[in-house]
Amino acid sequence: MEEMEVIIFEIIGNGGNAKGLVYEAIQASENGEFDRAEELLKEADEYLVKAHNIQTDLIQKEAAGEHHEVSVIFVHAQDHLMTAMEVRTLAENMIKLNKRLAALEAK
């Protein structure tokens, strides 16, 4: 496997792990497990940071003149990371709403 393929699969893997943890966090919040949801988001953030750092390194190399072939799988990796980041943002809002709903239901 070429170095670029390894890099691409690291982005996909880290993004996928993050996205899975984010969905687990949403589910935990729906079950009223808000501390667990926050823990899962923090764990997801660790994967997002790893993927983002890989992406940033590629961007810096590109800016320095080291060009990379843009393949379909590379585009997929970028799409995968972007959607994981967006799901993370939406999850934070959903968890806040679930907290408010739980508080209202407890009254």
Side-chain angles (χ1 to χ4, degrees), residues 17 24 37 45 50 52-53 55 59 72 79 84 95 98 103:
N17 288 339
E24 283 184 50
D45 288 343
K50 287 178 188 177
H52 183 33
N53 287 343
Q55 180 189 50
I59 291 168
V72 173
D79 185 51
I95 291 167
N98 285 336

Side-chain angles (χ1 to χ4, degrees), residues 4 8 62 67-76 78:
M4 191 60 178
I8 289 168
E62 180 83 18
H67 299 287
H68 302 97
E69 179 183 339
V70 179
S71 64
V72 173
I73 197 158
F74 181 73
V75 172
H76 173 69
Q78 295 298 307

